[in-house]
Amino acid sequence: MTVRRLLLSTVAAVSMAVAAPALAQQGPQPPQPQAQPRAFEPDARSTLTPGLQDAGQAAWNLSLVSHTPPAPGFTAPPAPPAVEGQTAPRVSPLAFANTDLAYSNGKVFMGSFHGFNAYDVTGETPQLVLSVVCPGGQGDVSIHGNLLFMSVEENRGRLDCGVTPPEGAVSADRFRGVRIFDISDLNAPRQIAAVQTCRGSHTHTLLPHATDPNVLYIYNSGTAGVRQGDELNICSDGQPEDNAETALYSIDIIKVPLNAPQDAAIVNRPRIFADRETGAVAGLWRGGRAGVASQRTSQTNHCHDITVYPELNLAAGACSGNGILLDITDRENPTRISDLFDPDMAYWHSATFNNAGDRIVFTDEWGGGTSARCRAEDPTTWGANLIADVKDGKLEGRNFFKIPTVQGATENCVAHNGSIIPVPGRDLMVQAWYQGGVSIMDFTDPNKPMEIAYFDRGPIDAERLSIGGPWSTYWMNGRIYSSGIQRGLDVIKLEPSEFLSAAEIAAAEAVREEVINPQTQTRVTWADTPQVAQAYLDQLGRGEGVDAALLGEARAEVERWTSGRVDRRRLRAVAGRLETASQAEGADALNARRMKALADLLGRAAA
C-alpha cells in the first residue's frame, strides 16, 4: 500500500508538483491511449452485507478454512467520548494494519504497522505464538534462518521500538530502515541490528549470495521522503540536476554477514534508473500524464517492490513509473536490462514471476490502495495487473487483468500482493485486492487472463470508506494465507471446479518449502507422481486438438499407476506416442508443452 497520501501528504504534494513540469522535458510521448470502458457486471461480491468481523461472505471455487482475528493489542483503540465543542482525536486503523507475510518451519509471520506476530499453522487453526510491539510501518517481514527482517518507514519509528514517536525533525532516537531480529527463541526475540536508510524501508527483498552461504543481501526499497543529513549523514534530497548525490533514484543494497548479522550495512546504492546512453541518473519515466486520457503516472525515482529469482539471476522491479528487469548476477551491482512503461499504469507496485521465469505479473496500485477503484465507472485497465513476457531479456507487455466484478464506493480496491499457485503446466496467481477480496487469476495464456476463483467479504463500513481487506494473499504449503488489514488472518483452500481439477490441486498441495519469502522466488519442481500426470491429462482434456484416443490410452495407464498396477512397457509406449504428438507439425504450443512434460514424466516412471 502507498499511504503517503495519508501519512506524508506534504511529500506527496511536492512530488506531484515536480512531476508536471518534468513531463514536458521528456521528448516524444507514447501514443495517447483511451481508457477502456468497464464491461464487468455485478456479481455475488457486489451486494455483501457490511461489518468488521460479521460481514457477508461470498466464495467461488474457494472455501474458508479458518479466520483468526487480530492479536491482542493490534487493533486501533476506540475513539474517546466526544466532548462538546472539540474534535475528538482518532487513531487511524492504518497505524495497526496487518501487512505482509512470510513462512518458516510451520509458522506464518505477519507484519504490521505496529510490530509483528507469528502463528503456528501446523494444526487445524493458527495459534498465536509471538507478538512484538515495534511501531513504525509498514512492517513487511521476511525470514532467513533464525533472523527476521522488518521494514520501517515512518518518522514515528524508534531505534528501541518504543511507542512514543521521536520528537523534532532530527532525532538520534529515530529509526527508518531495516530491523534485524534474532528469533531463535520465540519467547525472547531480540533486535540485534537496525540499518538506517535515507528513505526508510517500504519493502525489502532477501537475496542469497550466489556462492557464499554466509552472506545474505537485502534489496531495500524506500519510498518516503528523504531524511535530513543532520539525522543521517549519507542523505540529501533534490533532483539529480541540482544534486548529484541525491538519495532519490536508487535502491539500497544491504550486506548481512550471517555469522555476524549485527554488522549488516549498506554496501551500494546503485543508480538502476540511469539512462543507458547518457548515464543521466533520472533515465526513466518522469511522471505525469502520457496523454489526455491516460493515468496520472508516478515518477520513477524508487522501486516499490523488487522480486528476485536467484536461479535465473533476474529481478523484476515495480518501480513507481516503470516495470524493470535486472540482471543480478553481481548481487552488489545489479544492472537494468529492460524496462517497460504503460500509460494505464499509475503506480507500478509489485512484480511476480511465473515458475518458468519467462512471464511477470506487475500490479498497478492506482489510488495508493486507499481508494475505491473497482466501481462500475472505473476502467478495467486501471488499478489492474499488467502481464508481461520476458523474451530475450526484454519485457513485452501482453494484457491487463482486473477482477471482473463491481465493488462499492466504501471499499478500497485495487491490485495488490499475491503469489504463484504451483500447479504444473499452468500459470496461476492468488492475489489480494484489498476489499475486493481474494482472487485467483489464470494467466497461462497471457493474452486471455481469466479469473477462476474468489473469496470476498462485504465492506467494513457501508457509509464511509474504511481502509481494509486483504493486504497480502499467498500460497504457502497447500493453503492460501491472507492478511486482513483490520480483520486478521484467513486460511483458505482450493475447491475442485471445471477450471481446476482435484488432481491439479493435489499436485499443488504436495509442493512443500521450509521457508517462503514471496519476494524471493524459487523454482518449483514436482515429484513424479500419478497426481501430477493426471493434472497434465486434465489440462489436455480441457483443450482442443489433442487426439482423444491417445489421451484415453494415457489416462488408462495413469489409472493403473495410481492403483499400484503400473505396466512399465505400456507406460513407455504411451510416453513415446505423447512425445511424437508433441512434435507434430501444427500442434498447439501449449498442448505440445504439456504433452512433452507428461511424456517425460511417464518415461521416468517407466524407467
Side-chain angles (χ1 to χ4, degrees):
M1 174 177 284
T2 305
V3 293
R4 287 174 297 165
R5 194 174 62 172
L6 294 179
L7 302 177
L8 299 167
S9 56
T10 301
V11 175
V14 170
S15 175
M16 295 298 283
V18 168
L23 180 63
Q25 303 170 10
Q26 297 176 56
Q29 301 301 310
Q32 297 182 7
Q34 293 295 321
Q36 297 180 15
R38 190 173 182 84
F40 300 153
E41 298 292 335
D43 59 17
R45 289 170 282 188
S46 306
T47 55
L48 294 169
T49 55
L52 180 58
Q53 296 292 354
D54 57 351
Q57 300 177 12
W60 179 55
N61 302 332
L62 292 174
S63 62
L64 181 67
V65 176
S66 68
H67 171 69
T68 305
F74 279 74
T75 55
V83 176
E84 187 175 354
Q86 297 182 15
T87 301
R90 180 174 176 272
V91 177
S92 168
L94 267 178
F96 295 83
N98 296 310
T99 58
D100 213 9
L101 300 169
Y103 176 98
S104 177
N105 294 312
K107 297 175 183 62
V108 167
F109 293 80
M110 183 160 66
S112 162
F113 277 68
H114 193 54
F116 62 91
N117 295 281
Y119 298 86
D120 186 321
V121 294
T122 56
E124 288 293 319
T125 57
Q127 300 296 314
L128 182 67
V129 295
L130 171 67
S131 282
V132 174
V133 173
C134 189
Q138 64 179 17
D140 285 14
V141 292
S142 58
I143 308 287
H144 185 95
N146 289 322
L147 300 178
L148 180 144
F149 303 85
M150 177 182 181
S151 286
V152 181
E153 180 178 60
E154 299 173 356
N155 279 327
R156 65 176 171 138
R158 294 181 59 98
L159 271 169
D160 61 3
C161 285
V163 297
T164 303
E167 295 183 354
V170 174
S171 172
D173 296 326
R174 178 168 290 119
F175 178 74
R176 294 170 58 193
V178 178
R179 300 186 193 273
I180 305 177
F181 288 87
D182 180 337
I183 57 169
S184 54
D185 182 355
L186 291 181
N187 294 313
R190 296 181 299 119
Q191 182 179 235
I192 58 173
V195 183
Q196 299 268 18
T197 64
C198 291
R199 303 182 70 182
S201 177
H202 197 71
T203 69
H204 68 268
T205 303
L206 301 188
L207 175 61
H209 191 284
T211 57
D212 187 347
N214 290 315
V215 173
L216 180 71
Y217 290 102
I218 303 171
Y219 283 8
N220 179 59
S221 300
T223 68
V226 178
R227 64 203 302 181
Q228 295 187 27
D230 291 343
E231 189 169 87
L232 187 62
N233 61 12
I234 62 172
C235 305
S236 62
D237 202 353
Q239 292 301 308
E241 296 85 356
D242 304 318
N243 175 17
E245 303 301 319
T246 180
L248 303 176
Y249 300 96
S250 62
I251 62 171
D252 305 303
I253 298 182
I254 299 168
K255 185 176 183 178
V256 184
L258 293 174
N259 56 358
Q262 68 277 7
D263 296 333
I266 294 174
V267 293
N268 195 11
R269 292 191 290 167
R271 299 297 195 183
I272 58 174
F273 312 124
D275 187 287
R276 293 193 189 87
E277 296 182 359
T278 67
V281 169
L284 293 179
W285 185 246
R286 301 299 298 272
R289 295 185 189 277
V292 175
S294 90
Q295 286 266 37
R296 180 174 290 281
T297 58
S298 299
Q299 182 187 67
T300 303
N301 64 33
H302 64 267
C303 289
H304 182 281
D305 260 22
I306 297 174
T307 296
V308 296
Y309 204 142
E311 291 166 82
L312 300 178
N313 285 320
L314 290 176
C319 301
S320 188
N322 292 90
I324 67 173
L325 189 65
L326 299 171
D327 181 334
I328 56 172
T329 304
D330 182 346
R331 304 302 202 232
E332 295 187 15
N333 297 284
T335 304
R336 191 180 87 248
I337 56 176
S338 184
D339 47 78
L340 191 62
F341 169 81
D342 193 287
D344 280 352
M345 299 284 281
Y347 186 77
W348 298 67
H349 174 276
S350 55
T352 304
F353 287 95
N354 68 350
N355 192 51
D358 59 3
R359 189 163 295 152
I360 300 170
V361 177
F362 291 101
T363 65
D364 171 24
E365 199 181 44
W366 172 37
T370 61
S371 305
R373 292 288 189 255
C374 301
R375 301 162 299 176
E377 65 268 32
D378 293 326
T380 58
T381 56
W382 292 14
N385 297 333
L386 187 155
I387 302 163
D389 280 348
V390 180
K391 288 196 172 182
D392 300 323
K394 303 293 183 185
L395 293 170
E396 297 180 3
R398 292 299 180 200
N399 208 345
F400 292 94
F401 169 85
K402 192 170 183 178
I403 51 173
T405 184
V406 173
Q407 297 283 278
T410 66
E411 295 175 284
N412 55 313
C413 177
V414 75
H416 210 234
N417 297 336
S419 72
I420 297 302
I421 298 176
V423 173
R426 298 179 69 176
D427 290 336
L428 303 182
M429 179 172 170
V430 63
Q431 183 178 8
W433 289 77
Y434 293 118
Q435 290 197 71
V438 172
S439 175
I440 296 179
M441 172 185 69
D442 183 345
F443 63 108
T444 308
D445 181 346
N447 297 314
K448 297 178 181 177
M450 60 183 290
E451 184 178 58
I452 63 168
Y454 66 71
F455 174 80
D456 189 23
R457 290 188 174 90
I460 291 173
D461 192 313
E463 302 300 325
R464 65 180 181 86
L465 195 153
S466 180
I467 307 302
W471 179 287
S472 292
T473 302
Y474 299 130
W475 179 267
M476 293 176 165
N477 290 339
R479 289 291 183 266
I480 295 165
Y481 292 88
S482 184
S483 56
I485 291 175
Q486 294 192 55
R487 286 168 168 148
L489 180 65
D490 284 332
V491 183
I492 300 168
K493 71 175 183 178
L494 295 169
E495 296 291 350
S497 70
E498 61 180 308
F499 302 106
L500 196 63
S501 70
E504 290 176 297
I505 295 173
E509 290 180 344
V511 175
R512 298 283 158 172
E513 297 177 87
E514 290 186 1
V515 178
I516 300 173
N517 295 306
Q519 284 75 46
T520 304
Q521 283 194 235
T522 54
R523 188 184 294 279
V524 172
T525 57
W526 292 268
D528 292 337
T529 66
Q531 289 81 10
V532 175
Q534 186 62 50
Y536 286 124
L537 282 169
D538 292 342
Q539 293 160 17
L540 291 166
R542 288 191 202 102
E544 297 178 353
V546 181
D547 186 318
L550 176 57
L551 282 185
E553 287 183 57
R555 200 175 293 278
E557 295 312 312
V558 170
E559 287 175 358
R560 287 178 187 274
W561 184 11
T562 303
S563 63
R565 298 179 294 110
V566 62
D567 184 323
R568 300 186 188 283
R569 182 183 63 80
R570 295 172 63 140
L571 210 54
R572 274 193 297 273
V574 77
R577 285 194 283 279
L578 284 165
E579 175 83 24
T580 301
S582 73
Q583 299 170 355
E585 186 175 352
D588 174 80
L590 181 57
N591 284 339
R593 286 201 301 274
R594 287 167 172 165
M595 283 190 286
K596 179 69 167 68
L598 179 58
D600 291 345
L601 192 164
L602 297 182
R604 292 191 295 272

